Amino acid sequence: MATVADHVIDALKVSGVRRVYGLPGDSLNGFTDAIRRSGEISWEHVRHEETAGFAAAADAALAGGLAVCAGSCGPGNLHLINGLFDAHRSRVPVLAIAAHIPRTEIGSEYFQETHPQDLFRECSVYRELVSTAEMAPRILEMAMRAAVEENGVAVVVIPGEIFLERAGASAWNARPVLPSRSVVRPDDESLRQAAAILNDAQAVTILGGAGVAGSHDALVSLAATLHAPIVHALRGKEFIEYDNPYDVGMTGLLGFASGYKAIKECDALLMLGTDFPYQQFFPDDAKVIQVDIRGRNLGRRTPVDLGLVGTVKDTLAALAPLLRQKTQRDHLDRSLRHYAKTRKRLDELAVNDRDRTPIRPEYVAGLANRLAADDAVFTADVGSPVVWAARYLTMNGRRRLIGSFNHGTMACALPLAIGAQTAYRDRQVVALAGDGGLTMMFGELVTLIQNRLPVKLIVFNNSSLNFVELEMKAAGIVNFGTDLVNPDFAAVAQAMGIFGRRVEQPADLEPALADAFAHDGPALVDVVTARQELSIPPAITAEQAKGFSLYAIRTILAGRADELLDLVTTNVARRILD
């Protein structure tokens, strides 16, 4: 008779799972030993359980199926929580196996005792404790079903000794758990109401998010009918901006002025598969239609005139025949001209600035974009790296861009890259890491060597928590606590057996990146970038302008006028010289 752990492995195998990310521990021994004996599921060893959660999230996002991570009791599975929050908020199906203390000790404040069902409540769609061997098959099936149907995290808590108990075969183990396929769209009357609003509007703008995935051609056709500019939220970038003559860029704190303007000037806004959170970027006097598969999301960011529950694909297919071809395209043409001007200004910054140092981060991102493979997977740290990724990475329908875009956590680029590269061993994976983010999960460089993962890591080394400094400036606060004393990251990488190259001169950047991308194995390029480069949002509020003025005054009074001079030199003087 097989163990409970054996049955868990069988249930995972029949449902298509081939990898489990984690760190071993005594309460997981029964589970990891079952993996060892299975021969069909690999144990993807990482150096921190947080990475296991992120890696599973990237795996699920790319492969499109259930991914699995595991942690031992107490601190072990508790370390999963940040990665699981990210997976949950990114809406990807992840199963977390959380080992637990002996069941007879639960409630006694035993060594390493926690209450996982409570701890993971906010970052999961399902969580349950397996108290007996007989409960395991059904609970596991329900957890997997919840994860794949709700695109979220499910947590199964199993005391260590239960993994080792013997149990008979169950029908729950024999049937694969795969996501169902459905047609989900609004009713006919709701579609007629939407068509009436869009047909009557003079200036329609479309705002699309990650929910547009799989509907690119239908979206472009819709824009052609409505003569509507298309703005994308960050998570919609990879699905929207390529082969799209109606694209006018991104909106939001990291976006373009053109995206902001196209939304602010419309009289009808059609939101497709997006939960874009920033209220200040929505129009003031426009009718708003929102389409989302999750009804609870309707109207929670801006008031909507019509909320529609459905997938973007199914809703557009039903809506398109009801729309009239528009002849007036003034709004579209204005938006396209503004985008062309905005794009030109952005691209003018992504250059070697006459060999001046430090190197512009825009130039780093622009070169990475040009040199990377056509089907590269990019991951980006939160902070300034994600700004440059959003503005300078070009999507083409084959490339992917993954980051902590909803959860917004530091240190995600390398862990996400580990999951992406594990799932796709022969695909180029490029991680755009901040110096602060990289050092937070520094130990995972060893994972690249141990697991033979040829991730290409580009470090934006500005010796600071750069985006935090920008937020301080905008609030009128003198920078404090944001300095980073960094090692030579390339030398550290070389000491670990990783290809490492440090770049301080702009002329050296392209050959360094080219060599790293061509290297047969993991590679790290440590680029010393400008600390004072400002990533200005598309709309500056009066409060932000006041904040920058206060920052300047307080910085001088604090005896740090050299910092202010550096800021001006980096962002004003060299642009005037251009």
Side-chain angles (χ1 to χ4, degrees):
M1 188 178 292
T3 67
V4 167
D6 291 326
H7 289 304
V8 171
I9 297 304
D10 287 341
L12 296 179
K13 285 192 300 186
V14 76
S15 297
V17 174
R18 293 296 177 264
R19 297 170 290 276
V20 177
Y21 300 89
L23 202 66
D26 60 346
S27 54
L28 265 180
N29 283 346
F31 181 65
T32 52
D33 188 60
I35 290 177
R36 177 187 64 80
R37 289 183 282 102
S38 75
E40 294 184 46
I41 290 184
S42 64
W43 176 253
E44 302 297 339
H45 183 84
V46 297
R47 297 306 175 104
H48 194 295
E49 288 92 350
E50 182 174 331
T51 295
F54 277 113
D59 189 323
L62 290 174
L66 183 69
V68 181
C69 59
S72 57
C73 68
N77 62 59
L78 184 58
H79 280 156
L80 292 170
I81 198 164
N82 201 40
L84 295 183
F85 257 107
D86 185 78
H88 187 63
R89 289 178 170 170
S90 296
R91 300 195 68 239
V92 292
V94 170
L95 173 69
I97 304 294
H100 203 11
I101 64 171
R103 60 187 160 180
T104 57
E105 297 292 349
I106 294 174
S108 70
E109 298 188 8
Y110 189 72
F111 176 65
Q112 293 188 322
E113 181 174 7
T114 59
H115 293 87
Q117 301 98 295
D118 295 331
L119 290 170
F120 294 110
R121 186 172 303 279
E122 286 190 48
C123 64
S124 63
V125 296
Y126 181 91
R127 74 231 52 94
E128 192 53 76
L129 171 68
V130 175
S131 299
T132 67
E134 293 75 19
M135 296 169 62
R138 189 177 179 193
I139 286 178
L140 182 65
E141 198 276 347
M142 289 189 290
M144 295 166 67
R145 178 66 62 189
V148 299
E149 296 295 350
E150 298 186 44
N151 282 315
V153 171
V155 182
V156 176
V157 183
I158 307 180
E161 75 276 14
I162 290 183
F163 281 122
L164 298 171
E165 290 185 12
R166 300 288 171 173
S170 166
W172 302 105
N173 293 125
R175 292 169 170 80
V177 178
L178 302 172
S180 60
R181 294 187 294 179
S182 305
V183 174
V184 184
R185 70 166 180 84
D187 71 341
D188 292 344
E189 177 58 30
S190 298
L191 290 169
R192 284 193 288 268
Q193 292 178 30
I197 293 172
L198 296 172
N199 287 332
D200 291 344
Q202 299 299 308
V204 178
T205 293
I206 299 169
L207 172 62
V212 172
S215 305
H216 177 272
D217 292 346
L219 174 67
V220 173
S221 177
L222 174 72
T225 299
L226 298 174
H227 286 327
I230 302 175
V231 181
H232 61 264
L234 178 53
R235 290 191 63 215
K237 174 182 172 70
E238 59 181 329
F239 308 116
I240 292 173
E241 73 173 9
Y242 70 94
D243 295 338
N244 184 354
Y246 305 94
D247 175 46
V248 295
M250 192 173 76
T251 189
L253 297 173
L254 312 183
F256 312 151
S258 53
Y260 174 82
K261 182 179 174 68
I263 288 178
K264 283 293 185 178
E265 293 183 353
C266 73
D267 62 4
L269 177 67
L270 176 59
M271 299 172 61
L272 298 176
T274 180
D275 192 31
F276 178 74
Y278 303 108
Q279 296 182 41
Q280 65 268 36
F281 292 92
F282 284 101
D284 300 315
D285 299 300
K287 289 190 175 181
V288 178
I289 302 170
Q290 184 177 2
V291 179
D292 202 294
I293 190 63
R294 298 163 293 171
R296 62 179 293 176
N297 285 5
L298 300 177
R300 72 173 178 176
R301 306 304 185 188
T302 190
V304 299
D305 295 274
L306 181 62
L308 303 175
V309 173
T311 66
V312 172
K313 179 181 178 181
D314 295 334
T315 301
L316 293 190
L319 178 62
L322 305 178
L323 298 174
R324 295 195 302 265
Q325 175 65 57
K326 290 188 180 294
T327 57
Q328 176 61 258
R329 52 177 293 151
D330 289 353
H331 174 58
L332 173 61
D333 289 338
R334 280 195 309 271
S335 299
L336 290 172
R337 286 194 299 270
H338 194 276
Y339 174 57
K341 182 168 59 176
T342 301
R343 185 71 259 173
K344 182 174 183 291
R345 289 174 177 171
L346 287 171
D347 290 341
E348 287 172 349
L349 301 178
V351 297
N352 177 352
D353 187 19
R354 294 187 291 277
D355 284 332
R356 296 184 185 185
T357 57
I359 299 169
R360 286 183 176 180
E362 299 98 324
Y363 182 46
V364 181
L367 271 180
N369 175 64
R370 179 161 62 84
L371 296 174
D374 285 344
D375 66 344
V377 177
F378 294 93
T379 66
D381 265 339
V382 163
S384 56
V386 80
V387 177
W388 313 129
R391 295 180 182 179
Y392 293 103
L393 295 183
T394 303
M395 299 292 106
N396 57 14
R398 298 179 300 281
R399 286 178 166 181
R400 298 297 307 272
L401 175 61
I402 301 174
S404 185
F405 301 145
N406 285 352
H407 187 45
T409 182
M410 284 179 64
C412 64
L414 178 54
L416 288 171
I418 287 171
Q421 194 74 86
T422 303
Y424 291 94
R425 294 274 175 170
D426 297 326
R427 195 168 176 179
Q428 187 183 72
V429 176
V430 181
L432 307 182
D435 45 1
L438 174 62
T439 51
M440 187 177 283
M441 298 296 287
F442 214 21
E444 297 304 337
L445 288 175
V446 183
T447 301
L448 300 183
I449 292 294
Q450 179 165 328
N451 294 4
R452 297 181 175 86
L453 300 174
V455 170
K456 313 308 178 189
L457 192 67
I458 302 172
V459 185
F460 290 77
N461 184 355
N462 49 40
S463 298
S464 68
L465 300 176
N466 185 249
F467 204 78
V468 177
E469 288 190 337
L470 176 61
E471 293 168 329
M472 288 180 173
K473 291 180 177 73
I477 297 172
V478 176
N479 294 152
F480 178 76
T482 56
D483 291 341
L484 298 177
V485 178
N486 290 327
D488 181 330
F489 291 117
V492 174
Q494 291 168 0
M496 293 180 175
I498 296 173
F499 174 100
R501 188 75 59 82
R502 183 175 173 88
V503 179
E504 299 180 4
Q505 301 297 323
D508 298 332
L509 181 60
E510 183 166 354
L513 289 178
D515 289 347
F517 287 175
H519 179 68
D520 184 19
L524 182 151
V525 180
D526 177 9
V527 188
V528 179
T529 56
R531 178 171 182 168
Q532 299 290 0
E533 195 80 11
L534 290 178
S535 50
I536 302 295
I540 303 297
T541 66
E543 290 78 9
Q544 288 171 328
K546 178 183 177 182
F548 270 101
S549 299
L550 288 173
Y551 157 76
I553 294 169
R554 290 168 176 168
T555 298
I556 292 171
L557 292 176
R560 289 160 57 180
D562 56 335
E563 178 182 310
L564 188 61
L565 178 61
D566 187 25
L567 177 69
V568 173
T569 301
T570 301
N571 294 278
V572 179
R574 66 185 181 186
R575 285 157 176 72
I576 293 174
L577 289 172
D578 286 341

